[in-house]
Amino acid sequence: MSRVLVVGLDCVPPALAFDRWAAEMPNLTALRRRGRWGPLRSTMPPITVPAWTSMVSGQDPGALGLYGFRNRVVERSRPTYDLRLATSRDVKVKRVWDRLGEAGRSVAALFVPLTSPPAPVRGVMASCFLHADGPWTFPPKFGAELDARFGPYQSDVASFRDGDLNRIFEELHAMTAQHFAIARHVWTERRPDFQMMVEMGPDRMHHAAWRHLDPGAPGHEPGNPWFERALGYYKAVDEELGRLLNDAGHATVIVVSDHGARAMQGGFAINELLIQHGWLVLRETPTTATPLRDCVDWTKTRAWGEGGYYARLWLNVKGREPTGTVEPNDAPAALETLRALIASEAPADTKTWTPDELYDVVRGVPPDLFCAFGDLGFRSIGTVGHGQARLDPLSLGHDGCNHDWNGIHVTSGPGIEPAADVPASILEVEAWCRTAAGR
């Protein structure tokens, strides 16, 4: 049995960690040389919520009933039109630290989505970036201990899409340094049998500065000063990883990311397409980007979509939705018509799936259709008032990054034979952890 240390780096793609910036990440590269590594296929959807929960439970989003950061609200056994931000209370399955705790192992879960609010474990837990109010650790006194030693908890970078890059990079470095310092402290002082931390910093940096670091991104300016700042942040993450690895001893070390990153080639305003073809009706037509729910006429709408790195589409079904307009018997044909419309109008290489095509078990309130526009090259825009469906990326704000299918995995430790470029699934990681811990 080995102690197990898992380091999660949100949104880190193979193209940077294994290729373009590998030489600037000597600690991760050395770990790769003595271990097994390769691309780690994310969930569909490839997004922080639910991908990390899938990773630590071995359950896909369908089994979890989690289809994004925000999910349909259910009242009196019927879904409403509203969405609610996911919390740890929405996780109904056991995660790896729960199973190891039941087997008598001591555990530490630090900053792992979804762990807010924190829940009892056989050890300690510190909330993820979604922490808002109340105690941020289990047990609560553990938070007071950390506050006294490391200062107030920096759970996230504020307004990381606002373009204030000087401030953003300062907060990134401070947050990442604090999180790794806490991780080293817990690992060496409390000596858990299993410890997992997740650092959200890479994701925040990508969304703030991708156009500056990726020569292939729309709007990239060669020689811009933010390229070096972005590379410098990756170097700092690798240095922090190296310090933690120095304390790891003979533990099994697993470094993972939940999904990758890529340049956003543009946006596709899915609700504008639905409006143009009569599927979605507004009470009034705005002339600037406006949330759909501010102006939709549900009594005349047959379908609507949500924005994000991917799209979720729902039919407005009678008996299911509060003001349904589509007869249940007509829903399958309506859905196929929608798929054909999207295939004809959306960017090339767009992919669509029904929940049953993705998952063996479907819980919660899934969308009727998932869409990855341009195979994740185009972001789904859920607002209305754009006047057209296809939008230029430079008109969409400072965030030029979309998520991509593959994150990374690197595992090194007792009994791990070196193997390069080994593809794996995010759903395998939970079993790796339990195997390494002797359970």
Side-chain angles (χ1 to χ4, degrees), residues 45-70:
I47 189 170
T48 297
V49 178
W52 285 110
T53 303
S54 290
M55 184 188 294
V56 296
S57 69
Q59 303 292 310
D60 67 24
L64 297 172
L66 296 170
Y67 304 102
F69 273 80
R70 292 169 176 82

Side-chain angles (χ1 to χ4, degrees), residues 309-352:
Y309 307 112
Y310 59 102
R312 290 179 283 173
L313 272 71
W314 280 275
L315 293 172
N316 196 18
V317 179
K318 286 184 179 180
R320 187 182 72 179
E321 272 69 36
T323 314
T325 59
V326 177
E327 295 290 345
N329 290 341
D330 295 336
L335 194 60
E336 289 309 308
T337 301
L338 270 179
R339 294 183 86 165
L341 174 63
I342 291 167
S344 66
E345 299 287 341
D349 207 20
T350 289
K351 295 176 170 60
T352 62

Side-chain angles (χ1 to χ4, degrees), residues 182-270:
I182 291 172
R184 293 194 303 273
H185 166 72
V186 173
W187 180 260
T188 57
E189 298 298 320
R190 292 188 174 255
R191 297 192 57 79
D193 298 313
F194 172 87
Q195 176 172 309
M196 181 173 181
M197 69 165 290
V198 170
E199 177 52 52
M200 285 298 297
D203 179 271
R204 284 16 189 163
M205 192 274 283
H206 294 159
H207 289 300
W210 191 268
R211 287 178 183 147
H212 305 291
L213 68 88
D214 182 0
H220 178 78
E221 297 180 4
N224 75 84
W226 302 112
F227 179 93
E228 291 300 327
R229 293 287 293 274
L231 179 57
Y233 176 71
Y234 258 70
K235 291 179 179 178
V237 169
D238 186 74
E239 289 170 0
E240 294 288 359
L241 176 63
R243 295 186 186 100
L244 185 55
L245 293 179
N246 284 340
D247 293 334
H250 298 292
T252 297
V253 176
I254 304 173
V255 178
V256 282
S257 60
D258 58 329
H259 55 75
R262 60 172 296 173
M264 182 180 67
Q265 300 301 320
F268 193 76
I270 181 60

Side-chain angles (χ1 to χ4, degrees), residues 166-188:
N166 266 319
R167 175 192 60 78
I168 290 167
F169 275 105
E170 288 175 2
E171 289 190 26
L172 277 169
H173 283 277
M175 178 182 73
T176 300
Q178 183 194 61
H179 291 178
F180 273 91
I182 291 172
R184 293 194 303 273
H185 166 72
V186 173
W187 180 260
T188 57

Side-chain angles (χ1 to χ4, degrees), residues 2-8 27-28 30-32 34-37 180 187 193-195 197 241-242 244-256 409-414 416 429 432-433 436-437:
S2 169
R3 292 180 76 194
V4 180
L5 174 64
V6 182
V7 181
N27 294 299
L28 182 63
L31 195 70
R32 287 164 57 201
R34 59 180 184 265
R36 181 183 64 235
W37 61 272
F180 273 91
W187 180 260
D193 298 313
F194 172 87
Q195 176 172 309
M197 69 165 290
L241 176 63
L244 185 55
L245 293 179
N246 284 340
D247 293 334
H250 298 292
T252 297
V253 176
I254 304 173
V255 178
V256 282
H409 74 89
V410 183
T411 302
S412 178
I416 303 297
V429 176
W432 297 348
C433 294

Side-chain angles (χ1 to χ4, degrees), residues 103-115:
R105 306 285 193 266
S106 59
V107 301
L110 308 176
F111 331 124
V112 184
L114 289 161
T115 53

